[in-house]
C-alpha cells in the first residue's frame, strides 16, 4: 500500500465506527498559542480534550502534519523525521480505552494485514501515584498480544501541568526471523501507535486529579507505518520520502546519514515555507533558517560549489501539493535568498576562525564568542570552517 492507500483505509475504518473527520490544520498554530509549530494531532484539539464540546461530535479522526525539533539530532536514523504526518483518533468522553485498543488491533491485523506474531505492546505498570493500567493489560492479554510493563515510557503528558494519563504503545517487529526480546530490550521493535488514556490532570503542585471528561487520544506515525507495510528499511525509503532521498543522492553524493539529513531538512523547509514562514533570527523563522543552513553546511562540506538552485521544480511541486500552499517559485526564492546570506557568513567567518585556530584547538569560550560576537553558529564553525581540526 502506498501513502494514499494507508490514509484512506485508516480514515474509512474509523468513519465506519462513527468518527467524523477533522481536517488537518497548518503547521502554524492559531494566534495566541505559545508553541511554535503543531507537534501532534491532538494539539489543535486541546480545548475539546478539556471539556469544550466539539462541533463535529465526540468521535473524531484526522491526518495532521506535524513538526518537532526535539528529535532534530536523531534525524538521519531509520525512524525520525522533522516534518511528518500523524494519523489520529479521539474519544472525547465517549468510548473507553479498551475499545480503542481493540479497534486498533483489528485495523493493524485485518485492515493492514500485519501478522499477529509481529506485534508487541507496552503498558503503564504503575508508580507511587497511579496504579498499573489494568484495563489495558487485561485487553491485550485477551487479544493474545505480548505485553511489557514500564513506568516512564508509558505515561503521557502535554507538559508539567494539564491533562495526562497512562498510555499503551504498539510495536511491530522489523527484524529477520522470529521476534526476540521486548520493545525496551531490542531496537528492532518499532513503535507505530500510541493510545493515551487521558484520565488525569496534573496541578501546579504536582497532584493528580481525575479529569471530568476522560478521553482517549491516539496517534500513529504515517511514515513509520509505511516503513513496515512497504517492507523497507527506514522512513526515508517509503513512497513519501523516496523522491527526496533519491534526488539528493543523485545531485550531491555523500554519506547515507548525511544524505538523509539533507533530504529531511530541505523537504521540511519546503513544507514550512509553504505554510508561510520566512527565515529570521528567532521563533519559527529561526527553525526554518536552521534547517536550511544545516543542509548547506553538509552540502558545502562535500561540494563547496553546490547550490539549492539545482533542486527540481517538480519535486517542490509534489511536496507542496501534499502539504502546503505557496508555489515552488516562492519556495526557491526563499531558499536561495537564505543560501546567499549563509554564503556571505561563511566567507566572512573563514578568516575569523583561521585566526583563532592559530592558537590551538577551539575552546568552548571560543565557540561561544564566535557565535555571540560574530554570529557564527557552532554547527558552521565545527562543520564547515575547520573548527574541528
Amino acid at each position: 500500500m502506498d501513502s494514499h492507500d494507508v490514509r484512506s483505509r485508516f480514515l474509512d475504518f474509523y468513519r465506519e465506527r462513527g468518527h467524523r473527520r477533522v481536517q488537518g490544520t497548518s503547521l502554524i498554530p492559531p494566534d495566541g498559542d505559545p508553541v511554535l509549530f503543531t507537534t501532534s494531532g491532538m494539539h489543535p484539539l486541546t480545548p475539546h480534550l478539556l471539556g469544550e464540546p466539539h462541533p463535529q461530535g465526540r468521535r473524531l479522526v484526522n491526518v495532521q502534519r506535524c513538526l518537532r525539533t526535539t528529535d532534530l539530532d536523531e534525524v538521519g536514523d531509520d525512524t525520525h523525521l522533522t516534518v511528518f504526518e500523524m494519523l489520529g483518533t479521539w474519544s472525547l468522553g465517549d468510548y473507553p480505552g479498551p475499545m480503542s485498543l481493540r479497534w486498533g488491533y483489528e485495523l493493524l491485523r485485518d485492515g493492514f494485514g500485519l501478522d499477529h506474531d509481529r506485534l508487541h505492546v507496552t503498558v503503564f505498570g504503575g508508580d507511587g501515584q497511579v496504579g498499573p493500567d489494568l484495563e489495558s493489560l487485561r485487553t491485550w492479554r485477551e487479544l493474545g498480544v505480548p505485553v511489557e510493563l514500564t513506568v516512564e515510557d508509558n505515561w503521557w503528558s502535554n507538559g508539567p501541568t494539564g491533562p495526562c494519563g497512562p498510555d499503551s504503545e504498539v510495536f511491530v517487529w522489523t527484524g529477520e526471523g522470529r521476534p526476540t526480546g521486548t520493545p525496551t530490550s531490542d531496537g528492532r521493535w518499532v513503535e507505530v501507535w500510541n493510545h493515551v488514556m487521558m484520565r488525569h490532570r496534573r496541578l501546579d503542585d504536582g497532584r493528580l486529579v481525575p479529569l471530568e471528561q476522560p478521553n482517549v487520544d491516539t496517534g500513529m506515525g504515517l511514515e513509520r507505518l509505511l516503513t513496515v507495510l512497504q517492507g523497507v528499511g527506514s522512513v526515508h525509503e517509503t513512497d513519501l520520502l523516496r523522491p527526496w532521498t533519491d534526488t539528493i543522492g543523485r545531485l550531491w553524493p555523500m554519506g547515507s546519514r548525511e544524505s538523509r539529513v539533507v533530504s529531511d531538512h530541505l523537504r521540511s523547509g519546503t513544507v514550512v515555507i509553504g505554510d508561510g514562514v520566512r527565515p529570521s533570527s528567532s521563533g519559527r523563522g529561526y527553525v526554518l533558517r536552521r534547517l536550511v543552513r544545516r543542509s548547506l553546511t553538509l552540502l558545502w562540506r562535500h561540494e563547496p560549489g553546490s547550490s539549492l538552485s539545482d533542486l527540481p521544480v517538480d519535486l517542490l511541486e509534489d511536496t507542496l501539493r501534499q502539504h502546503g500552499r505557496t508555489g515552488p517559485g516562492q519556495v526557491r526564492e526563499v531558499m536561495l535568498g537564505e543560501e546567499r546570506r549563509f554564503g556571505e557568513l561563511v566567507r566572512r567567518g573563514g578568516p575569523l576562525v583561521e585566526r583563532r585556530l592559530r592558537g590551538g584547538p577551539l575552546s568552548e569560550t571560543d565557540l561561544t564568542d564566535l557565535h555571540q560576537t560574530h554570529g557564527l553558529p557552532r554547527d558552521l564553525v565545527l562543520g564547515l570552517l575547520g573548527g574541528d581540526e
Side-chain angles (χ1 to χ4, degrees):
M1 288 184 281
D2 65 17
S3 53
H4 174 76
D5 297 330
V6 172
R7 290 190 198 97
S8 297
R9 187 162 299 188
F10 176 82
L11 292 170
D12 290 345
F13 180 90
Y14 281 98
R15 284 194 189 105
E16 292 169 0
R17 287 152 183 81
H19 293 66
R20 301 287 298 276
R21 182 178 181 181
V22 179
Q23 291 299 322
T25 62
S26 163
L27 283 174
I28 311 304
D31 291 341
D33 196 311
V35 301
L36 293 179
F37 293 100
T38 298
T39 59
S40 66
M42 62 78 59
H43 185 85
L45 296 173
T46 300
H48 309 289
L49 292 166
L50 293 175
E52 180 181 317
H54 194 281
Q56 292 178 261
R58 298 168 69 184
R59 296 185 181 188
L60 306 175
V61 61
N62 90 337
V63 180
Q64 172 66 50
R65 64 179 178 274
C66 306
L67 185 152
R68 292 181 186 171
T69 57
T70 51
D71 297 329
L72 208 56
D73 291 334
E74 306 297 324
V75 170
D77 68 7
D78 291 339
T79 59
H80 288 88
L81 295 167
T82 306
V83 168
F84 58 95
E85 292 182 58
M86 188 69 80
L87 309 175
T89 67
W90 292 271
S91 164
L92 303 178
D94 189 44
Y95 55 82
M99 182 172 288
S100 179
L101 299 180
R102 290 181 183 278
W103 279 342
Y105 173 74
E106 180 184 350
L107 176 58
L108 290 176
R109 186 194 62 183
D110 300 335
F112 292 131
L114 289 178
D115 189 335
H116 169 93
D117 293 335
R118 293 177 65 195
L119 300 178
H120 204 306
V121 299
T122 58
V123 168
F124 182 68
D127 59 15
Q129 286 186 290
V130 179
D133 184 3
L134 297 178
E135 282 189 339
S136 295
L137 180 61
R138 187 179 307 114
T139 301
W140 287 120
R141 285 178 173 171
E142 290 173 356
L143 293 170
V145 179
V147 179
E148 180 180 18
L149 296 176
T150 82
V151 179
E152 290 85 358
D153 291 342
N154 284 106
W155 182 265
W156 181 92
S157 61
N158 197 34
T161 61
C164 55
D167 65 53
S168 183
E169 298 176 341
V170 183
F171 292 78
V172 179
W173 177 253
T174 61
E176 297 291 334
R178 293 180 61 82
T180 61
T182 66
T184 63
S185 66
D186 194 320
R188 289 173 292 181
W189 288 106
V190 173
E191 179 198 346
V192 295
W193 207 346
N194 190 12
H195 295 245
V196 178
M197 318 308 167
M198 204 177 293
R199 304 169 181 160
H200 307 276
R201 185 170 192 167
R202 191 176 297 277
L203 305 179
D204 291 336
D205 61 7
R207 288 185 298 121
L208 292 174
V209 297
L211 274 177
E212 293 183 9
Q213 174 189 283
N215 310 292
V216 183
D217 161 30
T218 86
M220 177 160 55
L222 173 61
E223 293 82 0
R224 289 192 184 186
L225 179 61
L226 288 172
T227 301
V228 173
L229 297 180
Q230 295 177 2
V232 294
S234 77
V235 292
H236 305 277
E237 299 170 62
T238 64
D239 69 293
L240 279 177
L241 277 294
R242 196 65 190 243
W244 277 92
T245 306
D246 289 348
T247 299
I248 298 303
R250 184 179 69 253
L251 289 175
W252 305 299
M254 63 187 94
S256 173
R257 188 179 183 97
E258 292 173 318
S259 183
R260 287 177 173 186
V261 172
V262 172
S263 171
D264 168 90
H265 285 9
L266 292 180
R267 174 178 177 268
S268 298
T270 299
V271 178
V272 172
I273 294 169
D275 270 356
V277 178
R278 297 295 179 265
S280 68
S281 57
S282 63
R284 298 184 186 101
Y286 180 71
V287 173
L288 172 58
R289 171 162 288 171
R290 190 179 180 199
L291 290 173
V292 175
R293 291 187 175 188
R294 284 186 101 201
S295 300
L296 290 167
T297 297
L298 292 172
L299 288 179
W300 289 346
R301 184 188 297 171
H302 290 273
E303 296 187 38
S306 56
S307 170
L308 301 183
S309 62
D310 294 332
L311 286 173
V313 173
D314 60 349
L315 180 64
L316 302 179
E317 286 179 338
D318 288 344
T319 301
L320 292 167
R321 191 178 301 116
Q322 295 177 36
H323 292 284
R325 297 182 298 270
T326 303
Q330 290 176 286
V331 171
R332 286 172 63 87
E333 181 180 343
V334 171
M335 284 194 174
L336 292 178
E338 189 61 19
E339 179 180 294
R340 286 192 295 272
R341 286 186 288 270
F342 191 53
E344 293 169 1
L345 184 62
V346 171
R347 287 189 289 274
R348 179 170 57 84
L352 292 172
V353 174
E354 287 180 7
R355 285 198 292 271
R356 295 289 181 106
L357 286 171
R358 290 171 192 155
L362 298 179
S363 65
E364 286 297 320
T365 301
D366 289 323
L367 292 170
T368 300
D369 182 63
L370 285 168
H371 188 196
Q372 294 181 348
T373 305
H374 302 287
L376 302 176
R378 171 188 288 265
D379 288 352
L380 171 62
V381 174
L382 297 180
L384 197 58
L385 298 181
D388 55 345
E389 296 178 355

